[in-house]
């Protein structure tokens, strides 16, 4: 057997997340460099870190400049301790300065490019810079959202959770290590409870849910349905105080020891 074949080693950021998840659900904060100036992003990042958010994700559907990503993430990293994970819309969102990248495939896109094309183009850069890549299956619900339009997603019926379950199971069998149910930034409602429950009860890898979660009650509903990781973006700019309460609510589900 070739000596270059090794068992899969989970990186530092993924280990940190898995360890946190042992004690219950966690919150992550999404910052979009296209909509938040870096100074404001630093303020928000500091605030969510001290409120108990577990990581910062950086991304947005319209990022086109690797230089901007570099600067944004270098500045964030100087100001906070929690991990900064790239949430890439495309190859140009990659930077070597983050702690990790969600190495994601948009499973229900009709475009080859979003399923494996961008990933293939990004892979040499990731290898060259030894960036921690965390395999993530991304399932996007169709709606009036940028990610749904740009990602050219196939419709997933809300009243047929078995379709989403089938995608999520396929993701697990293909070796993805996280599944993300994306309602889309600014969606009027989060992904529905019956879908989250059905997926959670079918898979054994962590379940991330994001999009449209802007109140404590909605966050609670998503957690009660079984999400392991809740991602919020918009609320950080809209109402930082409400975001603090939302994070506190999620953390109240965590075991203290
Ligand atoms: C992360 O796209 C979401 O998955 C963020 O959505 O901006 O609606 O919180 P919001």
């Amino acid at each position: 057997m070739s000596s270059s074949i090794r068992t899969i080693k989970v990186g530092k950021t993924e280990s940190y997340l898995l360890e946190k998840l042992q004690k219950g659900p966690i919150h992550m904060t999404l910052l979009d460099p296209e909509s938040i100036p870096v100074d404001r992003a630093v303020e928000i990042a500091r605030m969510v870190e001290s409120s108990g958010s577990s990581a910062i994700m950086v991304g947005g559907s319209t990022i086109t400049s690797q230089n901007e990503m570099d600067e944004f993430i270098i500045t964030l990293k100087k100001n906070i301790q929690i991990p900064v994970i790239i949430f890439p819309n495309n190859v140009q969102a990659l930077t070597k300065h983050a702690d990790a990248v969600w190495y994601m495939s948009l499973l229900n896109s009709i475009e080859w490019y979003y399923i494996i094309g961008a990933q293939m183009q990004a892979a040499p850069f990731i290898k060259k810079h030894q960036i921690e890549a965390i395999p993530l299956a991304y399932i996007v619900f169709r709606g009036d959202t940028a990610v749904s339009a740009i990602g050219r997603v196939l419709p997933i019926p809300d009243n047929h959770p078995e379709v989403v379950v089938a995608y999520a199971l396929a993701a697990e069998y293909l070796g993805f290590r996280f599944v993300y149910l994306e309602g889309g930034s600014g969606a009027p409602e989060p992904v529905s409870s019956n879908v989250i429950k059905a997926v959670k009860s079918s898979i054994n890898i962590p379940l991330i849910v994001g999009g449209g979660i802007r109140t404590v009650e909605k966050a609670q509903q998503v957690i009660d349905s079984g999400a392991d990781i809740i991602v919020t973006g918009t609320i950080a700019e809209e109402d930082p105080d409400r975001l603090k309460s939302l994070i506190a609510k999620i953390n109240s589900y965590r075991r203290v020891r």
Side-chain angles (χ1 to χ4, degrees), residues 182-212:
E182 173 67 272
S185 187
E189 289 294 325
V191 174
S192 69
S193 291
N194 62 337
V195 168
I196 300 171
K197 281 181 193 157
V199 171
K200 179 60 188 174
S201 62
S202 307
I203 60 170
N204 294 303
I205 52 178
L207 177 61
I208 309 174
V209 178

Side-chain angles (χ1 to χ4, degrees), residues 226-247:
D228 299 299
I229 302 177
I230 298 262
V231 179
T232 65
T234 308
I235 184 181
E237 294 150 82
E238 266 179 20
D239 192 340
D241 285 336
R242 183 139 35 95
L243 176 55
K244 283 187 197 167
S245 313
L246 187 153
I247 296 170

Side-chain angles (χ1 to χ4, degrees), residues 97-162:
H97 303 288
D99 293 285
V101 57
W102 286 121
Y103 197 61
M104 52 206 275
S105 174
L106 205 178
L107 295 192
N108 63 312
S109 175
I110 60 167
E111 287 282 0
W112 165 86
Y113 184 77
Y114 291 113
I115 301 169
I116 189 60
Q119 297 76 356
M120 174 272 283
Q121 291 184 7
F125 183 88
I126 289 175
K127 183 169 173 67
K128 181 174 173 193
H129 297 288
Q130 296 288 295
I131 301 169
E132 181 182 341
I134 309 177
L136 168 69
Y138 198 41
I139 301 169
V140 176
F141 290 78
R142 219 153 78 151
D144 184 15
T145 60
V147 63
S148 151
I150 294 171
R152 302 199 61 198
V153 302
L154 278 163
I156 300 181
D158 232 19
N159 51 355
H160 284 283
E162 72 273 16

